[in-house]
Amino acid sequence: MKVLLTGGTGFLGKKLSSTIATTSELTLLVRNGSNVVANINAFASEMTESVDYSEILFGNDVVIHAAALAHKVNSKLELADYTAVNEKLTLRLAEQAANVGVKRFIFISTIGVNGISNTKPFKFSDKPNPCEYYAISKNSAEICLKKIALETGMEVVIIRPPLVYGMGAPGNFGTLLKLAEKNFPLPLGAINNRRSFVSIDNLVDLIITCIDHPNAANQTFLVSDDEDISTSNLLKKLTLAAGKKPWLLPVPVSFLKLLATMVGKKEAVERFSSSLTVDIDHTKKTLNWKPPITLDEGIRRCFK
């Protein structure tokens, strides 16, 4: 099996590439100037919609497209910036992949396509409700990919993960890891929400399952550790895993939001305090798959 991976130098891509390379012939498509793991074949190129990737794509059975312009809190990026990378570049890559005979295109999307919060778990079949530029661009890419699949016969697999965590995780989870390690007294002990997360090991396992599973063709999969947890309890587990005693103060969420609004951090607090859960029954039944590690084990590996 010959696999081409984009985004192979990112948080997910590094773990994914090192795992795939043990069983498949792997090629990375990376940006110019990227640092690539030794002994893995790589092509460096400008990642724009005007580039012809046909020669790089030719001969591969599967493309895993993990490269993206990620969501950034309080970013000044506009929708057009996200669209250029997450939609238009994806469309060009997929069209060229189909033209040179790639059999399957796996697209790493986001649970944000479903929405940013909920009171009951999101399902794969729910009507999309993207609210942020990043998720809007990913949803547009999904629509384009499904059209390409119908027109060309290339199989498309869409995977929508919630927040991905693990050692060295960037973004919001990286912030939580730092807070757990420093163990300052935090006013986060009264957040009684429910959130789904996915360890990087579980997400990588699902992606690899989708490389050649016959039932994965033209499906959309949600993924998580299949265990939901409040932000307060997550911080407690992280702090304990870091070898510290949790020190969380039960400050009302309404007061936290007020303070956050005053200092320009409203979006971050909204993310920490709102609920977002996913139903992965479709994923488990379709692929006969279950997360190979538990939430507790995933947290332990953050500090291994």
Side-chain angles (χ1 to χ4, degrees):
M1 180 74 69
K2 292 185 177 181
V3 179
L4 183 138
L5 169 66
T6 72
T9 58
F11 172 61
L12 171 61
K14 288 179 181 177
K15 180 72 173 181
L16 189 56
S17 62
S18 63
T19 306
I20 293 175
T22 62
T23 57
S24 301
E25 185 177 337
L26 176 66
T27 299
L28 301 183
L29 175 57
V30 300
R31 292 181 181 275
N32 288 332
S34 299
N35 294 320
V36 179
V37 177
N39 301 321
I40 295 181
N41 188 35
F43 287 96
S45 172
E46 290 299 322
M47 300 288 281
T48 67
E49 59 174 313
S50 62
V51 176
D52 188 343
Y53 302 105
S54 299
E55 186 176 346
I56 301 170
L57 291 164
F58 182 78
N60 286 284
D61 303 295
V62 177
V63 170
I64 303 174
H65 186 38
L69 178 60
H71 171 77
K72 296 179 178 64
V73 176
N74 298 324
S75 171
K76 294 182 180 180
L77 293 171
E78 300 293 335
L79 177 59
D81 299 308
Y82 290 98
T83 297
V85 177
N86 299 337
E87 178 188 348
K88 293 182 178 179
L89 176 58
T90 299
L91 175 61
R92 184 168 183 82
L93 192 69
E95 287 176 336
Q96 293 178 4
N99 288 340
V100 299
V102 170
K103 299 180 179 65
R104 180 169 290 186
F105 191 97
I106 301 175
F107 180 58
I108 310 305
S109 187
T110 172
I111 195 60
V113 169
N114 289 71
I116 58 174
S117 64
N118 57 30
T119 55
K120 62 179 182 179
F122 287 134
K123 295 185 177 182
F124 81 102
S125 55
D126 289 343
K127 181 179 179 180
N129 184 34
C131 302
E132 298 168 331
Y133 290 159
Y134 172 67
I136 291 170
S137 65
K138 286 285 192 174
N139 181 53
S140 297
E142 289 188 14
I143 293 170
C144 293
L145 288 173
K146 291 174 183 177
K147 182 179 179 182
I148 290 173
L150 286 173
E151 292 175 347
T152 68
M154 181 177 69
E155 298 170 352
V156 166
V157 182
I158 295 167
I159 299 175
R160 296 179 188 161
L163 192 149
V164 184
Y165 70 92
M167 181 182 288
N172 287 337
F173 200 88
T175 300
L176 292 179
L177 286 177
K178 292 175 182 176
L179 291 175
E181 289 176 322
K182 294 178 179 178
N183 199 26
F184 296 134
L186 296 171
L188 303 174
I191 302 177
N192 297 314
N193 59 347
R194 303 297 294 172
R195 294 195 72 87
S196 297
F197 298 90
V198 62
S199 79
I200 191 166
D201 296 279
N202 285 337
L203 179 55
V204 165
D205 189 81
L206 177 64
I207 295 170
I208 290 174
T209 298
C210 289
I211 287 176
D212 59 4
H213 198 298
N215 294 343
N218 302 315
Q219 293 283 343
T220 297
F221 297 118
L222 306 191
V223 59
S224 76
D225 290 338
D226 210 18
E227 301 175 58
D228 300 330
I229 189 171
S230 70
T231 301
S232 295
N233 284 333
L234 176 65
L235 264 171
K236 289 176 184 177
K237 286 179 178 289
L238 286 170
T239 305
L240 289 170
K244 309 289 179 62
K245 182 178 179 180
W247 196 3
L248 301 178
L249 308 177
V251 177
V253 173
S254 57
F255 187 67
L256 287 178
K257 290 182 178 180
L258 176 62
L259 288 178
T261 301
M262 294 171 62
V263 298
K265 299 293 184 180
K266 181 180 178 181
E267 183 179 351
V269 172
E270 288 284 357
R271 285 178 174 274
F272 279 132
S273 61
S274 63
S275 292
L276 192 161
T277 57
V278 302
D279 180 339
I280 66 168
D281 280 352
H282 167 70
T283 304
K284 293 190 293 185
K285 292 175 182 177
T286 303
L287 302 174
N288 191 27
W289 179 86
K290 66 178 183 178
I293 68 169
T294 63
L295 174 69
D296 284 341
E297 174 61 16
I299 289 174
R300 186 186 69 81
R301 293 184 184 186
C302 290
F303 300 94
K304 189 176 180 180

